[in-house]
Amino acid sequence: MNNHHLISNYYTQHRDEIVHFVAVRISDADEAQDRVQDIFLHLLAHRQPIMPNTLPSLVYTMARHQIADYFRRRNVCKEYEKHAKNADFIGEIETSLSARMIMEHMEQSLTRLPEACGRIYRLHIYDGLKVSDIARQLALTYKQVENRLGQARRQMRQQLAPYHHSQAV
């Protein structure tokens, strides 16, 4: 039984329960359906064999990740909206200047990263590529890219920490 047949059968039999699982947690039925569709599309594109006994665990793990991504994005949007609503003209100018200063500092910080980490970080942040896409493009394993991206993120957080603390005031 190939992945496509296995996944199609599982989708047909369990779609509603997975949508319910996601919808209960994010309180948005339409968004839940989109998230579940993304899970199964991702599974269909998966090239490695998937075992029938591990498929349910894999699907629910991916669903939990989708739920976490949903809340992460929602929080970022809320934070942005909060700041956008409270900014007046002078605040917008200050924000533009601050953003430019942060971007300059970020670019300087990127040059301090090991070359491989910096390249992966740029592909992820600036080009919006996923870890799997970066791994494929650079002919690295998923874990190598994931580890280097994690290392780059930690170093960038340390470098940009002064800006985070000054913005909180």
Side-chain angles (χ1 to χ4, degrees), residues 46-129:
H46 197 70
R47 295 181 189 267
Q48 296 177 341
I50 298 173
M51 303 304 297
N53 59 336
T54 61
L55 182 58
S57 298
L58 180 60
V59 168
Y60 279 96
T61 298
M62 292 174 75
R64 285 190 297 277
H65 290 180
Q66 286 285 333
I67 292 164
D69 288 347
Y70 169 81
F71 283 113
R72 198 174 301 120
R73 285 187 189 107
R74 191 177 82 173
N75 289 340
V76 167
C77 288
K78 281 184 178 180
E79 191 68 23
Y80 175 78
E81 288 172 359
K82 183 176 83 175
H83 288 294
K85 288 178 184 175
N86 294 332
D88 58 5
F89 182 70
I90 295 194
E92 290 175 16
I93 292 172
E94 290 173 351
T95 301
S96 291
L97 292 173
S98 294
R100 189 170 52 200
M101 288 173 47
I102 292 171
M103 285 301 295
E104 289 172 1
H105 188 78
M106 187 171 166
E107 284 298 322
Q108 289 173 355
S109 298
L110 277 169
T111 62
R112 294 185 195 115
L113 292 174
E115 184 179 339
C117 293
R119 184 171 184 198
I120 289 169
Y121 189 82
R122 285 179 194 277
L123 288 170
H124 183 69
I125 297 298
Y126 294 135
D127 296 343
L129 295 180

Side-chain angles (χ1 to χ4, degrees), residues 120 131 141-151 153:
I120 289 169
V131 173
T141 67
Y142 185 91
K143 275 295 186 193
Q144 287 174 316
V145 173
E146 195 173 51
N147 289 336
R148 289 177 184 161
L149 182 59
Q151 179 184 357
R153 285 178 172 156

Side-chain angles (χ1 to χ4, degrees), residues 12 14-15 23 28 40 43-44 63 70 72-73 90 101 107 110 116 122 133 135 138 143 148 154 165 169:
T12 303
H14 300 281
R15 179 195 171 279
D28 185 341
F40 283 97
L43 284 170
L44 287 170
Y70 169 81
R72 198 174 301 120
R73 285 187 189 107
I90 295 194
M101 288 173 47
E107 284 298 322
L110 277 169
R122 285 179 194 277
D133 297 331
L138 299 179
K143 275 295 186 193
R148 289 177 184 161
R154 281 189 296 280
H165 296 299
V169 175

Side-chain angles (χ1 to χ4, degrees), residues 150-162:
Q151 179 184 357
R153 285 178 172 156
R154 281 189 296 280
Q155 289 181 15
M156 291 301 288
R157 271 195 303 273
Q158 289 173 347
Q159 293 291 324
L160 298 174

